[in-house]
Amino acid sequence: HGHDHATPRVQSKGINEDKYVLAQKHFVNQAEYIYDGDKVVVENVVHYENLSKEFDELMEKYGIDTNLPPKGKGGTYTDTANTKRLTYRDLDAKSIEIINKFAKPDFEKLGYQKVEEKFDEDYSLEAIVE
């Protein structure tokens, strides 16, 4: 009936195929969840930059009585007084380069503006939604 616990299970081939990549399934571009080729295959896309607002609207649409706190209430602070928040503007050029390489499909398909080395003052987190 049951699994022989003395015999280790063999992992199925697929998204976690590379046993040397820690938590590989968490490192999938967002575009892969949304698109099949060029076709959008999800009904609702919620953008991180508008997460609380869009999530709350989605819950209301489906009649679910829950919401998220505003994004500005959380975060990672770099001081003990919790006054200096760590943000995307604190990323160095090497980190930006790694993100640009990894998230290239997300930038291309989801309409986000890539940054080369440093964030300009006029940089917008908003996706250009067509």
Side-chain angles (χ1 to χ4, degrees):
H1 276 132
H3 173 70
D4 175 8
H5 294 285
T7 306
R9 291 184 183 192
V10 176
Q11 183 171 323
S12 301
K13 294 284 185 196
I15 197 162
N16 287 322
E17 196 169 304
D18 186 346
K19 64 183 179 181
Y20 298 105
V21 177
L22 179 64
Q24 185 177 10
K25 66 184 175 182
H26 294 289
F27 297 108
V28 175
N29 293 328
Q30 296 304 298
E32 291 186 44
Y33 287 105
I34 299 169
Y35 290 89
D36 182 7
D38 288 331
K39 181 182 177 197
V40 175
V41 293
V42 296
E43 189 172 331
N44 302 289
V45 176
V46 177
H47 301 87
Y48 180 74
E49 64 272 18
N50 298 314
L51 183 61
S52 295
K53 178 180 180 288
E54 291 181 19
F55 179 85
D56 292 352
E57 289 170 354
L58 186 63
M59 294 302 101
E60 185 176 326
K61 174 181 175 180
Y62 288 100
I64 300 171
D65 186 24
T66 192
N67 60 8
L68 290 177
K71 193 170 54 169
K73 296 287 185 189
T76 301
Y77 292 89
T78 60
D79 65 338
T80 55
N82 289 344
T83 58
K84 171 80 172 96
R85 284 186 55 201
L86 185 64
T87 74
Y88 65 93
R89 292 190 180 278
D90 295 310
L91 293 170
D92 63 13
K94 183 65 177 170
S95 297
I96 291 170
E97 178 185 348
I98 292 167
I99 292 167
N100 284 344
K101 183 177 179 183
F102 172 78
K104 183 178 180 189
D106 293 342
F107 287 113
E108 292 172 349
K109 290 196 178 247
L110 303 177
Y112 290 99
Q113 177 186 352
K114 282 175 89 173
V115 172
E116 291 311 315
E117 292 184 10
K118 189 173 179 161
F119 288 89
D120 295 331
E121 288 302 316
D122 61 344
Y123 179 80
S124 172
L125 287 174
E126 302 291 321
I128 302 166
V129 181
E130 296 177 13

